[in-house]
Amino acid sequence: MGLETLKIDDFQLHASTMRRYGLGAHRGRLNIQAGLYDDDLYDGAWCAGRNDPLQWLEVDARRLTKFTGVITQGRSSLWSSDWVTSYKVLVSNDSHTWVTLKNGSQDLIFIGNKEKEIPVLNMFPVAVVARYIRVNPRSWFNRGSICMRVEILGCPMPDSQNYYHRRNEITTTDNLDFKHHSYKEMRHLMKVVNEKCPNITRIYNIGKSHSGQKLYAIEISDNPGEHERGEPEFRYTAGSHGNEVLGRELLLLLMQFMCQEYLSGSPRIRHLVHETRIHLLPSVNPDGYDKALEVGSELSGWSLGRWSQDGVDIHHNFPDLNSILWEAETKKWIPRKMLNHHVPIPEWYQSKNSTVAAETRALVSWMEKIPFVLGGNLQGGELVVTFPYDRTRSQGVSREQTPTPDDHVFRWLAFSYASTHRLMTDARRRVCHTEDFAKEDGTINGASWHTAAGSMNDFSYLHTNCFELSMYVGCDKFPHERELAEEWENNRESLLVFMEQVHRGIKGIVWDMQGRGIANAIIQVEGIGHDIRTAADGDYWRLLNPGEYSITVRAEGYSASSKVCEVGYDIGATRCDFTVSRTNLSRIKEIMERYNKQPIRQPLRLPVRQLQARRPGPRHRRVRTS
């Protein structure tokens, strides 16, 4: 019915008693997560004020509903062990007269939980129609208390006059495939889109999962399979946590939408396709997704399928380059011994014995191969956009604002997604779990939320040119199929607007005097301590906010060149090309290498005093005396 997805609002939840406000009826939602401490304002369940069989948790559906079942969990807590082991279910049409579900003439007792996290489903023998439903705990863990998280299964009865139904109803006009897709179905859908739009799409894979499933991506571009000089590369990935499936389905919907809109002549989509090379990777962790899909959206819980087949959290499985960079900065090695960008991967990480998932290795290779400029990875379980750094700089600190040199750019990129999402910046919306991100405009620095070493976002920023952010696109990690259309409406505009940000800042080509592009030239922006490099064709893209910037280009064997480039407020990167000449020394080296000549060895020239010291003194003849 929507306790987990927040379709049921707090005013529809009531309870007999509560231990305190943070454990009130409004916290009795399936999969709701607690804060770090047991006395947090936002705790992880409804907990009764007393432990006796007279307690209950009530849901007001606000209309006649056909109730079919109940799913329960215990309390989310690091410190307490509380769950209900059995319960009754009662229904009512007026909230005064209650009828207990029965098994013949006996009250029906449902078996509850055996631990606090795994959801337990109980279907009713016969569906019942009512407006109100209560769950009445009858027994509970003997070393705990009455605490529950609940989801109610049911379907609203048809009633076009119902005010609450009309107020909350969201429809879409897009003719898309709104369903959860298995691996085989996902592959088939990508093929259908490719056949429908063969001139702008290409399917390829970046590698394989631990169990051997291919990691399929689809490219959307006017010249699929080819990097066009001057055209930026963009990527969306999803499903690094296999149980966070909403992002996976959003990318499959985006793929269909862009194909349809391109064929219908949408100027916006045609411009995006012609000016950008877009890559969509819907399922980074197909093995984990299969585990979550097997039990279904309501029973997968908070973590089933999160990790790869070999137990690795893929999103945080990248090398920790932050520590390497920060140590070099502390020792003042930059730029003398080490650069502030393209931080190399440590040798230990690349060894076969390191704990690196097959999926992570495939991602790293993909990120190194293609000169991505901007990327977003879609996550689930919250409504917020996070940006680097994701790791706190201070040792032992779990939360701390840790900005990158490009903090202002990242904040704009994050806000571009959050502000165009239907819910992220809505101050009236209910908190998903414990954090009210709407107060922060729906964005947050990753490290100030919770520290995490080796994230995909930090790695992308420090090892490549790509600015990467995480979009947490919904409170429910695995929403019911019928909710996908609404989630698409929530995220559609944000997905498009964020892609368009790849055209913000400056772009250009670094040429030599013969008109050839120079690869690996360093692009420096005065005042920003993070450089980028040109791609193989000599082209580059540097994301920047509006303003004037002094740009310097350096390339090995060439003289440095500088100029001022201005970034406007309109979408469309400012063209800022450079032509650089060879240094005299590099020309001499080139000539000698070309003709296989060795450097002329010059005679050793010593100071005059040393020369005089080395000269033999005047010879004296011996005079014989008789």
Side-chain angles (χ1 to χ4, degrees), residues 312-350:
V312 174
D313 184 336
I314 296 171
H315 185 67
H316 299 110
N317 188 219
F318 294 83
D320 176 16
L321 304 183
N322 305 55
S323 299
I324 297 172
L325 176 68
W326 293 339
E327 182 183 5
E329 289 177 347
T330 301
K331 294 181 177 180
K332 302 187 185 304
W333 286 353
I334 295 175
R336 185 168 48 87
K337 290 186 177 181
M338 181 176 161
L339 299 176
N340 63 12
H341 65 287
H342 283 229
V343 180
I345 298 174
E347 289 185 13
W348 65 263
Y349 183 88
Q350 302 179 63

Side-chain angles (χ1 to χ4, degrees), residues 237-250:
T237 61
S240 58
H241 299 144
N243 62 332
E244 296 171 9
V245 306
L246 177 56
R248 169 190 175 113
E249 296 305 329
L250 287 176

Side-chain angles (χ1 to χ4, degrees), residues 555-560 580-590:
E556 186 176 357
Y558 293 86
S559 300
V580 293
S581 58
R582 300 293 297 268
T583 62
N584 291 334
L585 180 60
S586 68
R587 288 174 183 165
I588 293 171
K589 287 182 178 179
E590 182 182 358

Side-chain angles (χ1 to χ4, degrees), residues 43-55:
D43 219 317
W46 161 67
C47 289
R50 300 187 300 271
N51 289 329
D52 62 49
L54 301 178
Q55 306 306 308

Side-chain angles (χ1 to χ4, degrees), residues 220-372:
I220 303 175
S221 169
D222 58 344
N223 283 297
E226 178 184 343
H227 170 72
E228 297 181 70
R229 178 184 275 174
E231 187 170 283
E233 309 254 3
F234 176 92
R235 69 168 178 254
Y236 270 133
T237 61
S240 58
H241 299 144
N243 62 332
E244 296 171 9
V245 306
L246 177 56
R248 169 190 175 113
E249 296 305 329
L250 287 176
L251 292 192
L252 294 178
L253 292 167
L254 179 63
M255 168 188 74
Q256 300 170 64
F257 177 79
M258 294 191 71
C259 173
Q260 290 180 10
E261 290 294 296
Y262 186 88
L263 294 178
S264 67
S266 165
R268 183 185 190 185
I269 298 302
R270 280 184 165 266
H271 180 268
L272 197 55
V273 171
H274 291 161
E275 300 298 325
T276 322
R277 191 181 182 206
I278 301 163
H279 305 257
L280 308 179
L281 178 60
S283 190
V284 172
N285 182 8
D287 299 346
Y289 174 80
D290 289 346
K291 290 181 181 179
L293 183 65
E294 186 177 354
V295 297
S297 64
E298 282 78 28
L299 298 178
S300 59
W302 191 249
S303 59
L304 180 64
R306 175 183 176 89
W307 297 279
S308 67
Q309 187 71 27
D310 51 343
V312 174
D313 184 336
I314 296 171
H315 185 67
H316 299 110
N317 188 219
F318 294 83
D320 176 16
L321 304 183
N322 305 55
S323 299
I324 297 172
L325 176 68
W326 293 339
E327 182 183 5
E329 289 177 347
T330 301
K331 294 181 177 180
K332 302 187 185 304
W333 286 353
I334 295 175
R336 185 168 48 87
K337 290 186 177 181
M338 181 176 161
L339 299 176
N340 63 12
H341 65 287
H342 283 229
V343 180
I345 298 174
E347 289 185 13
W348 65 263
Y349 183 88
Q350 302 179 63
S351 69
K352 293 182 179 180
N353 296 327
S354 60
T355 308
V356 182
E359 297 87 345
T360 312
R361 293 190 189 277
L363 283 171
V364 170
S365 176
W366 185 49
M367 294 160 75
E368 291 179 331
K369 181 180 179 181
I370 298 176
F372 291 113

Side-chain angles (χ1 to χ4, degrees), residues 387-390 402-408 410 445 458 461 467 530:
F387 52 90
Y389 288 122
D390 288 334
T402 311
T404 66
D406 286 288
D407 189 56
H408 292 298
F410 273 116
N445 171 253
D458 289 2
Y461 180 68
F467 287 33
H530 179 81

Side-chain angles (χ1 to χ4, degrees), residues 604-615:
L604 184 64
R605 293 186 178 182
L606 297 175
V608 176
R609 290 182 180 178
Q610 293 187 28
L611 287 172
Q612 291 176 345
R614 291 192 172 192
R615 287 178 185 171

